[in-house]
Amino acid sequence: MPDTQITGLSSGIQWKDTVDQLMQIERQPLIKKQKRVKEYEEKKSAWSQISTQLNALKTTLEGMDTLSELSVKKAVSTNSKTLSVRANEKATPGNYSVEILQKANGHKLISEGFSSTSDPIFTSEGTFTIEGYSGEEISFDVNTETNLSELKNKINNNTKSDVTASIMNDGTNYRLILTSKNTGLKSAVTLGGTATMEVDFRDVAISDFKRNKQNIGTASIQSYGKNFQGISNEYTFTVDSVNGGEGEGTIGVDNISLSVRDINGNLIKSIELDSNYVAGTKISITDDIEISFDSGTLAKSSTVSDTYTLETTDPTARDSIIEVENIRVSNESNAVKNVIEGVTLNLNDITEENSPINVTIENDISGVKALISDFAEKYNSVINTVRGYQKWDEELKKGGPLFGDSRATDIITKLNSLLSNINAGIDESQYYKTISQVGVSIKSEGKISIDSKKLDDSLKDNFQEVLKLFGFDYEFTGEGSDKFIYKKRTNNTIGGKYNIDVNIVDGKITSAKIDGVDAKVEGSFITGKKGNGAVGLMIEVDRSVDGNFSSEVRVSTGKNIELINEVYEFTKNGSLDSEKGKIYYINNSIDTSIESLNDQIRSMEYRLEKTRELMEKKWLAMESALTKLKGQSSRVQAMQG
């Protein structure tokens, strides 16, 4: 039936309006159900937001649920440009004197020059081998047509190779550079193989000139990729005179004198550039170094002489050498770890003679406070989100989507209860028993409040004791305690004290119990099974001596793990029913209700459509009947007239 109709032509009644009004009355039950669907959708959205906030809290807690994650240390160097330092949780607060005598270096080899990268470099077919840091000899098949570029690709395409290969153009020739991927004496590269090479590789160092910023002249100096070796050095090129005195002279026009001195100030060479010098002509400085001057000017004045420096480095493999508290230590890396336990020393430069750098390790109180503050912020976000959805709007006289929902209130109640209680498995002698003792407490509306000064003082006075409130802690006691090592736990492990009994025969664990319950045995490891709170607790056992060994292990999960486990009970969403959390089942129930309502709405819409059609048919029938009557009336009147 068309949507647009002209009604009442015979009856004079706008019956379509009447039908619309009647249908509005008929639709009221449907509208109520649609409103209920919207309310359920708002509830589901609310639970989704709560779940998001809970997972954010859980993620934060998981980053600070162990003592190692909480035990933030701060390392300070009095000269971070030369020596930068990092400390982890194992570092012990203290002061240390450090001198850097030598940095570690990787090995570098550069070939003689070739006119083209396509020049062949072998005179016979066979193998070319490289042995480096790993000690494994890597072999490459080569022949008389293998060129620089192909050999470079062969080396770089081998994932086991300890070196990288590159090609450099020194301005005249192409050279193959082999650079160790590692540093230290072990990084020394040895070449070999059965193929005969036309090329000679030598230890090399290459550098560019640095121009003094105060230079007046415009000329620059070029260094070439000539092979050279030796200890690190620095060469200074200074203009001594221009045409026998002061002034600015043009290269190739004026007579310019320069002196070359090494890092110790020793004169290495005097250079005389006369009017016959052609820019770009190479000049030998030592047996290993060549340079050339570009066109331009060089200057000498009473206050400033144009100066250039050329740094060279020793490319041979060597270990770093440092002295910590006057104890000499060598290391293959410039990132020296655990010479001071838990500390990484990054060697950036050599220290000046008799000028040690002081390294200070201290507990990072501000770092720990930042972790706790972040936790409090995420916790309060959960509380604010739940409270927001439960709030009563006085103006609208309406509650939020979860107004009066005890399941939402249950989240706040359980989390608040966990925060206020003493941790399960806590050491009875522990200095702090509750987090409120260190300035972290539950205040208005169930939110965390931090007394910054109280927390600061607690961390200063008893740093480790504060951390034990929040992070996982354990301790073995008893005669056999030295036989056991904690390995890991699961979310099902409950804090408490557990007795361990193990029997070892011929180096094998023949029986193991944790608190009287048989434990799972796998080699040297025993794991708690269902039957007590130790489920999932894994312990490594020393099997070197046969016998019966017993110990007690105290496991304190810490406040953060207790909260993680509780949050997980709300948010988990595994594949099995037993692996699904409370929010999953709440949303599942909401989905079922929405689906049921939508089924009812579809059925009601169908019935309403039929009801409307029936009404319109009745009105149309009436209009038709009236039209016929009017027609008959008109004919009768015509006959009577």
Side-chain angles (χ1 to χ4, degrees):
M1 183 176 296
D3 292 334
T4 303
Q5 301 179 32
I6 300 175
T7 62
L9 291 176
S10 296
S11 65
I13 301 173
Q14 296 298 318
W15 55 264
K16 187 175 186 299
D17 292 340
T18 302
V19 171
D20 289 341
Q21 292 171 4
L22 290 170
M23 289 306 300
Q24 286 181 4
I25 297 171
E26 293 286 337
R27 287 184 65 85
Q28 289 308 303
L30 173 65
I31 292 171
K32 288 181 180 179
K33 291 189 182 295
Q34 289 174 329
K35 183 179 178 182
R36 287 181 63 191
V37 168
K38 184 179 179 182
E39 290 172 350
Y40 275 121
E41 287 173 342
E42 288 175 349
K43 288 178 184 290
K44 187 173 181 180
S45 176
W47 281 111
S48 176
Q49 287 298 315
I50 291 172
S51 180
T52 297
Q53 295 296 331
L54 283 170
N55 279 320
L57 170 62
K58 180 170 173 283
T59 298
T60 297
L61 291 169
E62 287 171 340
M64 51 182 289
D65 61 351
T66 64
L67 293 184
S68 62
E69 291 169 329
L70 286 161
S71 187
V72 185
K73 298 293 167 55
K74 180 164 58 177
V76 180
S77 165
T78 54
N79 186 348
S80 57
K81 185 176 180 180
T82 300
L83 174 66
S84 57
V85 291
R86 288 186 298 106
N88 63 29
E89 75 283 354
K90 294 181 180 179
T92 302
N95 293 299
Y96 305 89
S97 173
V98 180
E99 286 190 80
I100 305 172
L101 307 179
Q102 177 176 287
K103 287 184 64 180
N105 200 40
H107 201 183
K108 182 178 286 187
L109 297 171
I110 290 188
S111 73
E112 294 176 345
F114 287 81
S115 61
S116 170
T117 59
S118 60
D119 286 352
I121 56 177
F122 296 96
T123 57
S124 67
E125 185 177 337
T127 59
F128 172 69
T129 61
I130 299 176
E131 183 179 330
Y133 181 85
S134 66
E136 181 181 356
E137 187 177 78
I138 308 298
S139 180
F140 305 92
D141 293 328
V142 296
N143 54 46
T144 56
E145 295 182 356
T146 303
N147 57 42
L148 278 182
S149 183
E150 289 172 343
L151 183 58
K152 180 201 75 171
N153 292 336
K154 282 177 179 287
I155 294 169
N156 291 337
N157 290 338
N158 190 301
T159 57
K160 294 184 178 180
S161 177
D162 291 319
V163 304
T164 57
S166 60
I167 295 175
M168 178 196 70
N169 186 310
D170 63 11
T172 304
N173 295 310
Y174 293 92
R175 302 177 185 274
L176 182 65
I177 304 176
L178 303 180
T179 305
S180 173
K181 294 178 181 178
N182 304 91
T183 58
L185 291 171
K186 284 179 63 178
S187 73
V189 179
T190 302
L191 307 180
T194 60
T196 304
M197 299 181 67
E198 279 193 336
V199 61
D200 180 28
F201 282 89
R202 296 170 57 191
D203 293 328
V204 300
I206 298 173
S207 59
D208 294 325
F209 273 97
K210 295 180 181 178
R211 186 176 183 275
N212 192 315
K213 293 181 179 179
Q214 296 179 340
N215 283 4
I216 298 171
T218 61
S220 58
I221 309 175
Q222 301 298 324
S223 61
Y224 296 91
K226 183 176 176 65
N227 292 344
F228 60 95
Q229 56 187 345
I231 62 172
S232 300
N233 210 330
E234 180 179 281
Y235 297 93
T236 303
F237 293 68
T238 306
V239 176
D240 295 326
S241 67
V242 176
N243 295 321
E246 297 179 354
E248 185 173 2
T250 301
I251 291 174
V253 176
D254 297 295
N255 295 318
I256 304 172
S257 299
L258 301 94
S259 58
V260 184
R261 298 181 182 276
D262 65 14
I263 197 170
N264 297 314
N266 299 316
L267 181 65
I268 301 299
K269 188 179 182 69
S270 296
I271 300 175
E272 299 292 336
L273 300 178
D274 57 22
S275 59
N276 295 319
Y277 179 78
V278 177
T281 302
K282 293 180 182 179
I283 299 172
S284 176
I285 302 303
T286 69
D287 291 340
D288 301 313
I289 302 174
E290 288 183 329
I291 67 163
S292 71
F293 292 86
D294 293 339
S295 58
T297 62
L298 294 171
K300 162 75 175 177
S301 72
S302 58
T303 56
V304 178
S305 296
D306 284 359
T307 303
Y308 301 79
T309 56
L310 174 66
E311 295 180 357
T312 66
T313 56
D314 179 4
T316 57
R318 63 170 179 265
D319 287 344
S320 60
I321 300 175
I322 62 174
E323 284 189 356
V324 179
E325 296 296 315
N326 295 317
I327 299 174
R328 184 164 292 200
V329 179
S330 63
N331 193 283
E332 66 183 33
S333 173
N334 287 316
V336 182
K337 298 180 180 179
N338 293 322
V339 169
I340 304 171
E341 186 180 19
V343 178
T344 299
L345 305 172
N346 295 303
L347 316 182
N348 304 319
D349 206 346
I350 307 299
T351 53
E352 295 182 10
E353 189 174 358
N354 299 320
S355 298
I357 295 171
N358 189 58
V359 173
T360 302
I361 309 299
E362 55 190 33
N363 293 324
D364 189 357
I365 291 175
S366 61
V368 175
K369 288 180 69 177
L371 288 173
I372 295 174
S373 295
D374 188 32
F375 148 60
E377 180 183 337
K378 297 296 193 305
Y379 185 96
N380 290 342
S381 291
V382 171
I383 305 302
N384 287 334
T385 301
V386 174
R387 294 290 190 203
Y389 287 125
Q390 291 187 309
K391 191 175 181 180
W392 173 263
D393 192 321
E394 187 62 35
E395 184 177 341
L396 297 176
K397 302 298 181 182
K398 178 184 177 183
L402 303 182
F403 178 75
D405 193 326
S406 62
R407 298 169 301 182
T409 305
D410 189 46
I411 294 175
I412 298 176
T413 302
K414 287 186 179 298
L415 295 183
N416 283 179
S417 176
L418 280 174
L419 276 182
S420 303
N421 292 339
I422 295 176
N423 296 346
I426 197 170
D427 185 354
E428 294 173 0
S429 64
Q430 191 165 310
Y431 191 80
Y432 300 118
K433 300 290 194 302
T434 64
I435 61 173
S436 61
Q437 292 177 285
V438 299
V440 182
S441 56
I442 301 297
K443 296 293 185 182
S444 175
E445 294 187 330
K447 292 189 286 188
I448 290 177
S449 175
I450 296 178
D451 184 331
S452 184
K453 185 179 185 306
K454 190 173 183 179
L455 178 58
D456 199 69
D457 291 342
S458 300
L459 286 166
K460 287 177 181 177
D461 297 339
N462 296 283
F463 185 80
Q464 206 65 23
E465 293 295 305
V466 174
L467 305 190
K468 288 180 180 179
L469 284 172
F470 294 93
F472 177 81
D473 184 31
Y474 66 91
E475 181 184 21
F476 290 97
T477 56
E479 292 184 4
S481 60
D482 60 337
K483 300 288 290 184
F484 304 101
I485 301 172
Y486 166 81
K487 296 306 293 183
K488 65 179 182 179
R489 59 165 184 83
T490 67
N491 288 335
N492 295 319
T493 307
I494 299 173
K497 293 181 178 179
Y498 303 100
N499 293 314
I500 305 170
D501 294 291
V502 174
N503 189 50
I504 301 173
V505 178
D506 296 332
K508 295 182 179 180
I509 300 175
T510 56
S511 66
K513 293 180 182 293
I514 300 180
D515 250 22
V517 177
D518 287 336
K520 180 181 179 181
V521 178
E522 291 180 302
S524 297
F525 302 97
I526 62 172
T527 305
K529 296 191 293 188
K530 289 183 178 180
N532 56 40
V535 58
L537 178 64
M538 179 182 283
I539 297 169
E540 184 176 3
V541 181
D542 178 3
R543 298 182 293 163
S544 60
V545 178
D546 288 354
N548 247 150
F549 301 95
S550 299
S551 177
E552 182 182 74
V553 60
R554 177 188 58 79
V555 176
S556 175
T557 51
K559 194 61 65 184
N560 291 355
I561 290 176
E562 290 182 358
L563 287 169
I564 288 169
N565 291 343
E566 187 59 48
V567 169
Y568 184 66
E569 288 303 311
F570 283 98
T571 62
K572 61 184 178 180
N573 191 15
S575 57
L576 302 177
D577 287 345
S578 60
E579 297 172 342
K580 300 185 187 301
K582 296 176 182 179
I583 293 178
Y584 169 85
Y585 286 108
I586 290 171
N587 282 331
N588 191 54
S589 174
I590 291 174
D591 286 338
T592 300
S593 296
I594 290 175
E595 185 178 350
S596 175
L597 284 169
N598 281 332
D599 286 342
Q600 294 175 49
I601 288 169
R602 284 190 290 269
S603 178
M604 292 174 75
E605 286 177 334
Y606 177 79
R607 290 199 301 272
L608 288 170
E609 183 181 346
K610 295 301 181 183
T611 300
R612 185 180 189 94
E613 288 178 1
L614 182 59
M615 286 184 181
E616 289 179 347
K617 283 181 179 179
K618 288 180 178 180
W619 281 102
L620 286 171
M622 180 193 73
E623 288 283 349
S624 179
L626 286 173
T627 300
K628 288 179 181 180
L629 287 172
K630 284 184 178 182
Q632 291 174 356
S633 175
S634 297
R635 287 195 295 273
V636 169
Q637 289 176 358
M639 291 171 63
Q640 290 175 347

